[in-house]
């Protein structure tokens, strides 16, 4: 069985500040890891994924996440956030076709 | 628009009634998934299809729930004798099968629809 823990349910930050959204997973086998984002009144969108290779993965809008096998973590970071980054972020893990999601972290970026 | 579509977007029903939701996946995707998301929780897997075959069902999928995917195209999720605990957002996603990936093992990206919000009064 696998599980995902997102340590913060809400993260408020000011615009242009750095942010880290934490994600830890539990699995008895090797996993694939994902971050999805859900903007208000929209569906889930894939932000970035770790499948293999380099442990640091990046998205097109400045987010990055680092896979740390020893810490069983896949934290999401951005050095400078924008108002438009306000959304709910979900970490997910899979070893089988279906995804197992964490409970989500609501990122609120304030001016 | 070539994304995943779901209908209706919102459904309000009385306890005990039956409801049916529809999902239209991206046309070239042969896998289709159903998830349920309740307030304050992440999406939880319900079931998935490879073409028309239902390959896996979660323990969350009680006997009152049934899903179909005739001809491997659109899918329907029916809930019979709805209960207030069924109130949730029902999400549909689709993907290519993993064998289409170059690596042969890595999972294909799942594309999600906007969801159907069910409220049971």
């Amino acid at each position: 069985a696998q599980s995902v823990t997102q340590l913060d349910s809400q993260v408020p930050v000011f615009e242009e500040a750095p942010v880290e959204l934490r994600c830890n997973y539990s699995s008895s086998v090797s996993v694939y890891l994902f971050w999805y984002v859900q903007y208000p009144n929209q569906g889930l969108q894939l932000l970035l994924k770790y499948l293999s290779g380099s442990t640091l993965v990046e998205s097109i809008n400045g987010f990055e996440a680092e896979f740390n096998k020893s810490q069983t973590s896949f934290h999401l970071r951005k050095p400078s956030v924008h108002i438009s980054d306000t959304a709910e972020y979900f970490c997910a893990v899979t070893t089988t076709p279906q995804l197992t999601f964490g409970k989500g972290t609501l990122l609120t970026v304030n001016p | 628009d070539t994304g995943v579509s779901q209908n209706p977007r919102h459904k309000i029903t009385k306890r005990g009634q039956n409801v049916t939701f529809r999902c239209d996946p991206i046309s070239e995707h042969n896998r289709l998934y159903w998830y349920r998301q309740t307030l304050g929780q992440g999406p939880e897997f319900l079931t998935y299809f490879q073409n028309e075959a239902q390959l896996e069902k979660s323990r969350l999928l009680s006997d009152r729930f049934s899903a179909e995917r005739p001809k491997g195209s659109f899918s329907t999720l029916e809930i019979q004798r709805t209960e207030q605990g069924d109130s949730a957002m029902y999400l549909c996603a689709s993907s290519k099968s993993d064998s289409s990936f170059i690596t042969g093992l890595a999972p294909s990206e799942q594309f999600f629809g906007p969801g159907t919000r069910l409220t049971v009064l």
Side-chain angles (χ1 to χ4, degrees), chain A residues 6 32 34 36 38 41-47 49-52 88 90 94-104, chain B residues 9 31 33 35 37 40-45 48 56 89 91 98 101 103 105-115:
Chain A
Q6 291 186 243
Y32 304 105
F34 306 82
Y36 278 82
Q38 188 170 35
N41 299 315
Q42 294 186 29
L44 284 164
Q45 302 172 32
L46 181 65
L47 185 61
K49 59 187 176 185
Y50 171 77
L51 303 181
S52 65
E88 188 145 28
F90 293 94
T94 187
T95 58
T96 55
Q98 65 267 31
L99 296 164
T100 299
F101 286 88
K103 292 186 177 182
Chain B
R9 294 291 307 274
R31 280 193 175 163
Y33 311 78
Y35 294 84
Q37 185 178 13
Q41 302 293 321
E44 296 172 294
F45 169 74
Y48 91 93
E56 191 161 344
M89 178 76 85
L91 301 171
D98 298 343
F101 243 60
T103 62
L105 292 174
S108 297
E109 178 181 349
Q110 293 185 25
F111 293 81
F112 283 81

Side-chain angles (χ1 to χ4, degrees), chain A residues 79-98:
Chain A
S80 176
V81 294
H82 302 288
I83 298 283
S84 59
D85 293 324
T86 293
E88 188 145 28
Y89 293 78
F90 293 94
C91 182
V93 63
T94 187
T95 58
T96 55
Q98 65 267 31

Side-chain angles (χ1 to χ4, degrees), chain B residues 34-79:
Chain B
W34 285 99
Y35 294 84
R36 181 174 69 186
Q37 185 178 13
T38 54
L39 200 62
Q41 302 293 321
E44 296 172 294
F45 169 74
L46 293 178
T47 187
Y48 91 93
F49 294 82
Q50 171 106 5
N51 300 312
E52 66 274 11
Q54 188 173 16
L55 295 187
E56 191 161 344
K57 294 193 290 186
S58 161
R59 287 171 294 177
L60 293 175
L61 213 64
S62 76
D63 291 344
R64 297 184 296 104
F65 287 69
S66 62
E68 295 182 343
R69 194 183 181 196
K71 303 178 183 178
S73 56
F74 71 90
S75 176
T76 58
L77 178 68
E78 181 184 15
I79 308 174

Side-chain angles (χ1 to χ4, degrees), chain A residues 3-39:
Chain A
S3 65
V4 176
T5 302
Q6 291 186 243
L7 298 165
D8 306 294
S9 59
Q10 297 186 53
V11 173
V13 295
F14 288 108
E15 194 172 18
E16 298 183 3
V19 70
E20 178 180 81
L21 307 183
R22 296 179 292 171
C23 171
N24 287 90
Y25 69 92
S26 172
S27 176
S28 57
V29 297
S30 296
V31 297
Y32 304 105
L33 295 155
F34 306 82
W35 276 99
Y36 278 82
V37 59
Q38 188 170 35
Y39 297 103

